[in-house]
């Protein structure tokens, strides 16, 4: 293993330890789902793009699924996912695939848990009638020990510090 790869592994372990200490999440799967909330939270308002979190969960489910399930998902996306034979007055999200439904269920379960633990709350942005999940717990992406901001403003991004 190269030196850079080894350094990156050490930094990731340090991040996991800090997330565990600050959030109380000790299980790897819990920290992984929480990291999706962190990765998809706006850096300034902390509003979480929950559709992106669901998509990340879906990707994990797809990777971990059997080849038969992956084939079913592929067939589903090629037919229903591409809106074939969906009634005109219907929305595509009424016809979710089995893995998409499971991803939404997992997201909902974790959202409830994170709200209960004080890691996520709900906020109503200005000029909006809806409430959105908002990260209230520790976000390792905002920790200057691990990440530095590379661009300012709404398109800001973070870079892992490997020193």
């Amino acid at each position: 293993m190269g030196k850079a790869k080894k350094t990156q592994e050490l930094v990731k372990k340090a991040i996991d330890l800090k997330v565990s200490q600050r959030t109380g999440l000790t299980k790897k799967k819990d920290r992984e789902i929480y990291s999706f909330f962190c990765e998809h939270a706006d850096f300034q308002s902390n509003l979480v793009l929950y559709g992106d979190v669901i998509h990340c969960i879906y990707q994990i489910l797809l990777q971990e699924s059997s080849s038969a399930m992956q084939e079913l998902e592929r067939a589903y996306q090629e037919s229903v996912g591409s809106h074939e034979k969906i009634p005109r007055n219907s929305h595509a999200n009424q016809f979710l695939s089995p893995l998409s439904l499971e991803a939404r269920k997992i997201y909902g379960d974790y959202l409830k848990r994170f709200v209960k633990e004080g890691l996520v709350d709900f906020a109503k942005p200005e000029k909006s009638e809806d409430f959105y999940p908002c990260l209230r717990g520790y976000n390792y992406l905002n920790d200057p020990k691990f990440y530095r901001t590379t661009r300012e403003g709404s398109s800001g991004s973070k870079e892992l510090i490997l020193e």
Side-chain angles (χ1 to χ4, degrees):
M1 186 182 316
K3 185 177 179 180
K5 181 112 173 134
K6 200 171 196 174
T7 302
Q8 189 173 9
E9 292 291 324
L10 290 172
V11 171
K12 288 185 178 192
K13 284 182 182 180
I15 290 171
D16 273 352
L17 179 64
K18 184 95 175 234
V19 168
S20 289
Q21 291 170 340
R22 298 284 302 270
T23 64
L25 301 173
T26 57
K27 294 182 181 170
K28 182 180 180 181
K29 189 70 168 181
D30 296 345
R31 287 192 311 268
E32 181 179 34
I33 301 292
Y34 185 75
S35 76
F36 297 152
F37 279 76
C38 292
E39 291 166 12
H40 297 291
D42 181 79
F43 293 138
Q44 284 135 7
S45 68
N46 286 327
L47 289 179
V48 176
L49 301 174
Y50 59 90
D52 291 351
V53 175
I54 294 169
H55 182 72
C56 289
I57 295 169
Y58 170 84
Q59 291 299 319
I60 288 174
L61 292 174
L62 186 61
Q63 289 172 357
E64 295 174 348
S65 65
S66 67
S67 59
M69 180 55 96
Q70 290 176 0
E71 188 61 34
L72 175 65
E73 282 291 310
R74 190 172 13 267
Y76 183 88
Q77 295 304 331
E78 289 173 1
S79 61
V80 179
S82 64
H83 310 289
E84 284 182 20
K85 298 182 181 177
I86 292 178
R88 280 190 170 265
N89 296 333
S90 300
H91 296 287
N93 65 0
Q94 293 174 324
F95 302 95
L96 296 173
S97 72
L99 288 183
S100 293
L101 287 170
E102 184 63 16
R104 285 176 182 248
K105 180 188 174 306
I106 291 169
Y107 167 78
D109 292 345
Y110 271 97
L111 179 63
K112 288 178 204 168
R113 178 176 168 200
F114 292 159
V115 166
K116 188 176 180 181
E117 294 176 8
L119 300 172
V120 174
D121 202 353
F122 290 93
K124 184 176 176 183
E126 290 182 31
K127 301 178 185 175
S128 175
E129 296 299 316
D130 299 320
F131 285 87
Y132 293 91
C134 186
L135 191 65
R136 294 289 181 228
Y138 171 72
N139 187 344
Y140 63 92
L141 292 168
N142 290 331
D143 191 329
K145 179 179 176 185
F146 301 118
Y147 285 88
R148 67 176 145 247
T149 303
T150 57
R151 290 186 303 213
E152 297 294 327
S154 61
S155 64
S157 62
K158 303 287 183 162
E159 179 180 74
L160 183 63
I161 299 171
L162 295 175
E163 299 165 356

